[in-house]
Structure formats: structure tokens, C-alpha cells
């Protein structure tokens, strides 16, 4: 018969099994811990990657949109009918906007590439900002930098109807240029530009009137309203009275002034 001490004694085999079970439990706990930490780290990485694709909302400003770019493969949509074969050559640049806008810009330059005149035909797209003053873009065209740098200078009659004139506010060193602006709602079109040639204001008005009266449409780009606008304008075209002038930009004739704005 065994003694009570002998019945409660723990055998080496039992100790070994207990230690093995404890080791297995520790290993399993560590494995689960590493798996949890790894999953947490993966979620953090995915979260940071997703946040990196979102816009920055701290300043509550929309993400910048792509702007105007030169469309080298587009064909000119407009032209000026020539008075004679000796007229100066003109640069023609086409700009397009991702939201649908198109600008056809004709530019005349003189000595040292100084811009003498510019004509911008703007077919508006989704990028057009109705809250922005139209004279702001005209002032930028003329190199003035702000719409407040322009003042109204009356109207002239053209085949497109009355066209508003603007001149720089009197300031020392300002270029003697005269700007013009004509907007159409249907189609959404804006014609603007400036002339820096001519010794007098009437001479500049004559040059601008002649430019607009000679503006013709080459292609409407599947825009029937644009074709109709130019077709009706052609019925009102008037000849340029620049007899005796060596260059249409230097014409001294005075276009009809229809009054002040």
C-alpha cells in the first residue's frame, strides 16, 4: 500500500508535459500578437495611402485645374481679308482649354518684336467665369495687369454692331494703345484686342473698325450659330477707307463714333 506522500508526488513526465503545454501556449499567444500587430500595420499603411489620394481640405480650396495650352494641330478658324499684297505678316496662335474653350489669337509685331496690335476671338467653354470682369482679360492682353487700369473710350460701329472701346487710364509711361471688346451671348463668343498704332485716337479707332470689318470665318467647327453670326455680319460689312495710308495699321481715317458708354 502506497503512502499519501507517494500518491501526490509529481512524476518527471508530468512536469515535462506541463512545461510543453505552457511553451505551446506562449508560442501561440506570441503568434497571435504578431498577427494582430501585422494586420494593424497593414491597415495603417492602406489608410495612409488612401488619404494621400484625397485633396487637402485644410484650406477648403479646390484642386488646381489644367489651364490653356497651345493647340498646334488645330486649324485656324478665322482670317482677315487683305487690303493689298504688301500687308504685314501676322502670327496666329490657337489655345484650347480642357473644359471646351478655344482662343484664336492674331498678333502683329513691329521692330524688336514689339506688339503693335492683337485680335483675340474667344469661343467660351465651361471654364468661362461670368463673375470675372471682361475688361480684366483685356487689360492683361494690353499688359496693364488690372481692369482698373482701363477707362471707357466710347463705341465704334462695325459689321458686328457697336463695339466698346477702352484706353489706359492716364499714367506716365503708359503705352498709347486702344482696346476693344465685343461679346455675344448666342453663340457664346467674345472678340477683343487692341491697337497701338496711329498718332491720334481717331486713327486708332479707324484701324480697329477696319480690322473687325475684315474679320472672316474660315470654319465654324460644327457651330451653326457661329456661322449664322458671321453670315449676318457680312451683310453689314463696310469698306475700309484707308486711301493714301501705306499700312492699314497706320490709317488716319476716323471711324464713326456712336457715343460714350
Amino acid at each position: 500500500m502506497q503512502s499519501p506522500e507517494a500518491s501526490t508526488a509529481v512524476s518527471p513526465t508530468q512536469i515535462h508535459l506541463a512545461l510543453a503545454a505552457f511553451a505551446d501556449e506562449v508560442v501561440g499567444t506570441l503568434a497571435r500578437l504578431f498577427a494582430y500587430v501585422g494586420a494593424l500595420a497593414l491597415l495603417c499603411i492602406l489608410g495612409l495611402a488612401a488619404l494621400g489620394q484625397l485633396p487637402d481640405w485644410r484650406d477648403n480650396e479646390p484642386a488646381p485645374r489644367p489651364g490653356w495650352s497651345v493647340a498646334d494641330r488645330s486649324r485656324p478658324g478665322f482670317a482677315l481679308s487683305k487690303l493689298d499684297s504688301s500687308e504685314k505678316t501676322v502670327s496666329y496662335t490657337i489655345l484650347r482649354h480642357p473644359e471646351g474653350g478655344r482662343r484664336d489669337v492674331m498678333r502683329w509685331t513691329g521692330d524688336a518684336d514689339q506688339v503693335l496690335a492683337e485680335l483675340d476671338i474667344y469661343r467660351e467653354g465651361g471654364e468661362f467665369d461670368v463673375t470675372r470682369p471682361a475688361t480684366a482679360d483685356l487689360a492683361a492682353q494690353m499688359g496693364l495687369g488690372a481692369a482698373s487700369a482701363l477707362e471707357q473710350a466710347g463705341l465704334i460701329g462695325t459689321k458686328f454692331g457697336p463695339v466698346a472701346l477702352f484706353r489706359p487710364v492716364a499714367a506716365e509711361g503708359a503705352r498709347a494703345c486702344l482696346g476693344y471688346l465685343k461679346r455675344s451671348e448666342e453663340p457664346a463668343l467674345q472678340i477683343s484686342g487692341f491697337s497701338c498704332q496711329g498718332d491720334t485716337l481717331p486713327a486708332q479707332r479707324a484701324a480697329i473698325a477696319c480690322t473687325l470689318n475684315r474679320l472672316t470665318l474660315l470654319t465654324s467647327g460644327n457651330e451653326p450659330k457661329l456661322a449664322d453670326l458671321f453670315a449676318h455680319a457680312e451683310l453689314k460689312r463696310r469698306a475700309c477707307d484707308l486711301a493714301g495710308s501705306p499700312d492699314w495699321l497706320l490709317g488716319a481715317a476716323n471711324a464713326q463714333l456712336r457715343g460714350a458708354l
Side-chain angles (χ1 to χ4, degrees), residues 22-38:
F22 176 75
D24 290 341
E25 184 68 23
V26 170
V27 171
T29 301
L30 290 176
R32 289 191 294 271
L33 181 61
F34 283 129
Y36 174 77
V37 172

Side-chain angles (χ1 to χ4, degrees), residues 60-119:
N60 294 321
E61 293 183 358
R65 298 179 180 179
W68 295 93
S69 60
V70 177
D72 293 324
R73 297 184 179 182
S74 297
R75 295 184 178 181
F78 306 89
L80 289 186
S81 58
K82 290 187 176 182
L83 288 178
D84 56 62
S85 59
S86 64
E87 284 192 296
K88 296 181 179 180
T89 57
V90 58
S91 67
Y92 198 116
T93 304
I94 300 173
L95 304 173
R96 286 190 176 274
H97 197 280
E99 296 189 33
R102 167 171 168 154
R103 308 185 86 112
D104 290 58
V105 183
M106 304 181 198
R107 184 176 290 112
W108 292 262
T109 58
D111 297 335
D113 293 329
Q114 183 183 25
V115 180
L116 302 178
E118 183 174 295
L119 172 60

Side-chain angles (χ1 to χ4, degrees), residues 85-200:
S85 59
S86 64
E87 284 192 296
K88 296 181 179 180
T89 57
V90 58
S91 67
Y92 198 116
T93 304
I94 300 173
L95 304 173
R96 286 190 176 274
H97 197 280
E99 296 189 33
R102 167 171 168 154
R103 308 185 86 112
D104 290 58
V105 183
M106 304 181 198
R107 184 176 290 112
W108 292 262
T109 58
D111 297 335
D113 293 329
Q114 183 183 25
V115 180
L116 302 178
E118 183 174 295
L119 172 60
D120 184 345
I121 304 100
Y122 174 24
R123 282 181 266 184
E124 302 162 4
E127 78 291 339
F128 181 71
D129 185 1
V130 295
T131 64
R132 178 178 172 83
T135 51
D137 290 332
L138 179 58
Q141 284 180 259
M142 299 175 68
L144 302 176
S148 59
L150 294 176
E151 62 181 5
Q152 297 174 352
L155 299 170
I156 55 172
T158 71
K159 70 178 184 178
F160 298 102
V163 174
L165 299 176
F166 299 88
R167 59 190 172 195
V169 176
E172 185 177 355
R175 293 181 65 188
C177 303
L178 186 64
Y180 56 92
L181 180 65
K182 176 67 175 180
R183 290 207 66 238
S184 168
E185 297 295 336
E186 290 291 340
L189 180 75
Q190 180 172 286
I191 302 175
S192 63
F194 61 89
S195 174
C196 300
Q197 284 292 317
D199 296 330
T200 64

